[in-house]
Coordinates of all heavy atoms in Angstrom, one line a residue:
Chain C
A81 N -139.5 -18.4 -19.7 CA -140.4 -18.1 -20.8 C -139.7 -18.1 -22.1 O -140.2 -18.6 -23.1 CB -141.1 -16.7 -20.5
A82 N -138.5 -17.5 -22.1 CA -137.8 -17.4 -23.4 C -137.7 -18.8 -24.1 O -137.8 -18.9 -25.3 CB -136.4 -16.8 -23.2
A83 N -137.5 -19.8 -23.3 CA -137.2 -21.1 -23.9 C -138.5 -21.9 -24.1 O -138.7 -22.6 -25.1 CB -136.3 -22.0 -22.9
F84 N -139.5 -21.8 -23.2 CA -140.7 -22.7 -23.3 C -142.0 -22.0 -23.8 O -142.9 -22.7 -24.1 CB -141.0 -23.3 -21.9 CG -139.9 -24.2 -21.4 CD1 -138.9 -23.9 -20.5 CD2 -139.9 -25.5 -21.9 CE1 -138.0 -24.8 -20.1 CE2 -138.9 -26.4 -21.5 CZ -138.0 -26.0 -20.6
A85 N -142.0 -20.7 -23.9 CA -143.3 -20.1 -24.3 C -143.6 -20.5 -25.7 O -144.8 -20.6 -26.1 CB -143.1 -18.5 -24.3
V86 N -142.6 -21.0 -26.5 CA -142.9 -21.4 -27.9 C -143.7 -22.7 -28.0 O -144.1 -23.1 -29.0 CB -141.5 -21.4 -28.6 CG1 -140.8 -22.7 -28.3 CG2 -141.7 -21.2 -30.1
L87 N -143.8 -23.4 -26.8 CA -144.6 -24.6 -26.8 C -146.1 -24.3 -27.2 O -146.7 -25.1 -27.9 CB -144.6 -25.2 -25.4 CG -143.6 -26.3 -25.0 CD1 -143.7 -26.6 -23.6 CD2 -143.8 -27.5 -25.9
G88 N -146.5 -23.1 -26.7 CA -147.9 -22.8 -27.0 C -148.3 -22.9 -28.4 O -149.2 -23.7 -28.8
P89 N -147.7 -22.1 -29.3 CA -148.1 -22.2 -30.7 C -147.9 -23.7 -31.3 O -148.8 -24.1 -32.1 CB -147.1 -21.3 -31.4 CG -146.5 -20.4 -30.4 CD -146.7 -21.1 -29.1
G90 N -146.9 -24.4 -30.8 CA -146.8 -25.8 -31.3 C -148.0 -26.7 -31.0 O -148.6 -27.2 -31.9
V91 N -148.4 -26.7 -29.7 CA -149.5 -27.5 -29.3 C -150.8 -27.0 -30.0 O -151.6 -27.8 -30.6 CB -149.7 -27.4 -27.7 CG1 -150.9 -28.3 -27.3 CG2 -148.5 -27.9 -27.0
K92 N -150.9 -25.6 -30.0 CA -152.2 -25.1 -30.6 C -152.3 -25.5 -32.1 O -153.4 -25.9 -32.5 CB -152.1 -23.5 -30.5 CG -153.4 -22.8 -30.9 CD -153.2 -21.3 -30.7 CE -153.7 -20.9 -29.3 NZ -154.6 -19.9 -29.1
S93 N -151.2 -25.5 -32.8 CA -151.3 -25.9 -34.3 C -151.8 -27.3 -34.5 O -152.5 -27.6 -35.4 CB -150.0 -25.6 -35.0 OG -148.9 -26.1 -34.3
A94 N -151.5 -28.2 -33.5 CA -152.0 -29.6 -33.7 C -153.5 -29.6 -33.6 O -154.2 -30.2 -34.4 CB -151.4 -30.4 -32.5
F95 N -154.0 -28.8 -32.6 CA -155.5 -28.8 -32.5 C -156.2 -28.0 -33.6 O -157.2 -28.5 -34.2 CB -155.9 -28.1 -31.1 CG -155.6 -28.9 -29.9 CD1 -154.5 -28.8 -29.1 CD2 -156.5 -30.0 -29.6 CE1 -154.3 -29.6 -28.0 CE2 -156.3 -30.8 -28.5 CZ -155.1 -30.6 -27.8
E96 N -155.5 -26.9 -34.1 CA -156.1 -26.2 -35.2 C -156.2 -27.1 -36.5 O -157.2 -27.1 -37.2 CB -155.3 -24.9 -35.5 CG -155.1 -23.9 -34.4 CD -156.4 -23.2 -34.1 OE1 -157.2 -23.1 -35.1 OE2 -156.6 -22.7 -33.0
E97 N -155.1 -27.8 -36.7 CA -155.1 -28.7 -37.8 C -156.2 -29.8 -37.7 O -157.0 -30.0 -38.7 CB -153.7 -29.5 -37.9 CG -153.6 -30.4 -39.1 CD -152.6 -31.5 -38.8 OE1 -152.2 -31.7 -37.6 OE2 -152.1 -32.2 -39.8
A98 N -156.4 -30.3 -36.5 CA -157.4 -31.3 -36.3 C -158.8 -30.7 -36.6 O -159.7 -31.3 -37.3 CB -157.4 -31.9 -34.9
N99 N -159.0 -29.5 -36.0 CA -160.3 -28.8 -36.2 C -160.6 -28.6 -37.7 O -161.7 -28.8 -38.2 CB -160.3 -27.5 -35.5 CG -160.3 -27.6 -34.0 OD1 -160.5 -28.7 -33.5 ND2 -159.9 -26.6 -33.3
A100 N -159.5 -28.3 -38.5 CA -159.7 -28.0 -39.9 C -159.9 -29.3 -40.7 O -160.8 -29.4 -41.6 CB -158.6 -27.2 -40.4
E101 N -158.9 -30.3 -40.5 CA -158.9 -31.4 -41.4 C -159.5 -32.7 -40.9 O -160.2 -33.4 -41.7 CB -157.4 -31.7 -41.8 CG -156.9 -30.6 -42.8 CD -155.4 -30.3 -42.5 OE1 -154.7 -31.2 -42.1 OE2 -154.9 -29.2 -42.8
A102 N -159.3 -33.0 -39.6 CA -159.9 -34.3 -39.1 C -161.4 -34.0 -38.8 O -161.7 -33.0 -38.1 CB -159.2 -34.7 -37.9
D103 N -162.3 -34.7 -39.4 CA -163.8 -34.4 -39.1 C -164.2 -35.0 -37.8 O -165.0 -35.9 -37.7 CB -164.6 -34.9 -40.3 CG -164.3 -36.4 -40.6 OD1 -163.6 -37.0 -39.7 OD2 -164.7 -36.9 -41.6
L104 N -163.6 -34.4 -36.7 CA -164.0 -34.9 -35.4 C -165.4 -34.2 -35.0 O -165.6 -33.0 -35.4 CB -163.0 -34.4 -34.3 CG -161.6 -35.2 -34.4 CD1 -160.6 -34.5 -33.6 CD2 -161.9 -36.6 -33.9
P105 N -166.2 -34.9 -34.2 CA -167.5 -34.3 -33.8 C -167.3 -33.0 -33.0 O -168.2 -32.2 -32.8 CB -168.2 -35.4 -33.0 CG -167.1 -36.3 -32.6 CD -166.0 -36.2 -33.6
T106 N -166.1 -32.8 -32.4 CA -165.9 -31.7 -31.5 C -164.7 -30.8 -32.1 O -163.7 -31.4 -32.5 CB -165.5 -32.2 -30.1 OG1 -166.5 -33.1 -29.7 CG2 -165.5 -31.1 -29.1
K107 N -164.9 -29.5 -32.0 CA -163.8 -28.6 -32.3 C -163.1 -28.2 -31.0 O -163.8 -27.8 -30.0 CB -164.3 -27.3 -33.0 CG -165.0 -27.6 -34.4 CD -163.9 -27.9 -35.4 CE -164.5 -28.2 -36.8 NZ -164.9 -29.6 -37.0
F108 N -161.8 -28.4 -31.0 CA -161.1 -28.1 -29.7 C -160.5 -26.7 -29.7 O -159.9 -26.3 -30.7 CB -159.9 -29.2 -29.5 CG -160.5 -30.5 -29.2 CD1 -160.5 -31.5 -30.2 CD2 -160.9 -30.8 -27.9 CE1 -161.0 -32.8 -29.9 CE2 -161.4 -32.1 -27.6 CZ -161.5 -33.1 -28.6
E109 N -160.5 -26.1 -28.6 CA -159.9 -24.7 -28.4 C -158.9 -24.8 -27.3 O -159.2 -25.2 -26.2 CB -161.0 -23.7 -28.1 CG -160.4 -22.3 -28.0 CD -161.4 -21.3 -27.2 OE1 -162.5 -21.8 -26.9 OE2 -161.0 -20.2 -26.9
L110 N -157.6 -24.5 -27.6 CA -156.5 -24.6 -26.6 C -156.5 -23.3 -25.8 O -156.4 -22.2 -26.4 CB -155.2 -24.8 -27.3 CG -154.0 -25.1 -26.3 CD1 -154.2 -26.4 -25.6 CD2 -152.7 -25.0 -27.0
I111 N -156.6 -23.4 -24.5 CA -156.5 -22.2 -23.6 C -155.1 -22.2 -22.9 O -154.8 -23.2 -22.3 CB -157.6 -22.2 -22.5 CG1 -159.0 -22.5 -23.2 CG2 -157.6 -20.9 -21.8 CD1 -159.6 -21.3 -23.9
L112 N -154.4 -21.0 -23.1 CA -153.0 -21.0 -22.4 C -153.1 -20.2 -21.1 O -153.9 -19.2 -21.0 CB -152.0 -20.2 -23.4 CG -151.9 -20.8 -24.8 CD1 -150.9 -20.0 -25.5 CD2 -151.4 -22.3 -24.7
K113 N -152.4 -20.6 -20.1 CA -152.3 -19.9 -18.8 C -150.9 -19.8 -18.4 O -150.1 -20.8 -18.5 CB -153.2 -20.6 -17.8 CG -154.6 -20.2 -17.7 CD -154.9 -19.0 -16.8 CE -156.3 -18.5 -16.9 NZ -156.6 -17.5 -18.0
D114 N -150.5 -18.7 -17.8 CA -149.1 -18.5 -17.4 C -148.8 -19.1 -16.0 O -149.6 -18.9 -15.1 CB -148.8 -17.0 -17.3 CG -147.3 -16.8 -16.9 OD1 -146.5 -17.7 -17.0 OD2 -147.0 -15.7 -16.5
D115 N -147.8 -20.0 -15.9 CA -147.5 -20.5 -14.6 C -146.0 -20.2 -14.2 O -145.5 -20.8 -13.2 CB -147.7 -22.1 -14.6 CG -146.7 -22.8 -15.5 OD1 -145.8 -22.1 -16.1 OD2 -146.9 -24.0 -15.7
Q116 N -145.3 -19.4 -15.0 CA -143.9 -19.0 -14.7 C -143.0 -20.2 -14.4 O -142.0 -20.1 -13.7 CB -143.9 -18.1 -13.4 CG -144.7 -16.8 -13.8 CD -144.5 -15.7 -12.7 OE1 -144.3 -16.0 -11.5 NE2 -144.6 -14.5 -13.1
F117 N -143.5 -21.4 -14.9 CA -142.7 -22.7 -14.7 C -142.5 -23.0 -13.3 O -141.5 -23.6 -12.9 CB -141.3 -22.5 -15.4 CG -140.9 -23.9 -16.0 CD1 -141.7 -24.6 -16.9 CD2 -139.6 -24.4 -15.7 CE1 -141.3 -25.8 -17.4 CE2 -139.2 -25.6 -16.3 CZ -140.1 -26.3 -17.1
Q118 N -143.5 -22.6 -12.4 CA -143.4 -23.0 -11.0 C -144.6 -23.9 -10.7 O -145.7 -23.5 -10.9 CB -143.4 -21.8 -10.1 CG -142.0 -21.1 -10.1 CD -142.0 -19.9 -9.2 OE1 -143.0 -19.6 -8.5 NE2 -140.9 -19.1 -9.3
P119 N -144.3 -25.1 -10.2 CA -145.4 -26.1 -9.9 C -146.6 -25.5 -9.1 O -147.7 -25.8 -9.4 CB -144.7 -27.2 -9.2 CG -143.3 -27.1 -9.6 CD -143.0 -25.6 -9.8
D120 N -146.3 -24.7 -8.1 CA -147.5 -24.2 -7.3 C -148.3 -23.3 -8.1 O -149.6 -23.4 -8.1 CB -147.0 -23.5 -6.0 CG -145.9 -22.4 -6.4 OD1 -144.8 -22.8 -6.6 OD2 -146.4 -21.3 -6.5
K121 N -147.7 -22.6 -9.0 CA -148.6 -21.7 -9.9 C -149.2 -22.5 -11.0 O -150.3 -22.2 -11.4 CB -147.7 -20.6 -10.5 CG -147.1 -19.6 -9.5 CD -146.6 -18.3 -10.2 CE -146.4 -17.2 -9.3 NZ -145.2 -17.3 -8.3
T122 N -148.6 -23.6 -11.4 CA -149.2 -24.5 -12.4 C -150.5 -25.0 -11.8 O -151.5 -25.0 -12.5 CB -148.3 -25.7 -12.6 OG1 -147.0 -25.2 -13.0 CG2 -148.8 -26.6 -13.7
L123 N -150.5 -25.4 -10.5 CA -151.8 -26.0 -10.0 C -152.9 -24.9 -9.9 O -154.0 -25.1 -10.3 CB -151.5 -26.5 -8.6 CG -152.8 -27.1 -7.8 CD1 -153.4 -28.2 -8.6 CD2 -152.4 -27.6 -6.4
V124 N -152.5 -23.7 -9.5 CA -153.5 -22.6 -9.4 C -154.0 -22.3 -10.8 O -155.3 -22.2 -11.0 CB -152.8 -21.3 -8.8 CG1 -153.7 -20.1 -8.9 CG2 -152.3 -21.6 -7.4
A125 N -153.2 -22.3 -11.8 CA -153.7 -22.0 -13.1 C -154.5 -23.1 -13.6 O -155.6 -22.9 -14.3 CB -152.5 -21.8 -14.1

Side-chain angles (χ1 to χ4, degrees):
Chain C
F84 290 101
V86 79
L87 265 177
V91 179
K92 188 177 268 229
S93 42
F95 284 102
E96 300 289 336
E97 182 204 17
N99 293 345
E101 285 147 27
D103 48 14
L104 288 169
T106 309
K107 295 283 181 276
F108 288 102
E109 184 201 352
L110 184 70
I111 311 280
L112 304 182
K113 270 272 178 275
D114 181 18
D115 67 4
Q116 298 189 331
F117 213 52
Q118 283 180 8
D120 51 280
K121 290 194 165 75
T122 305
L123 178 58
V124 171

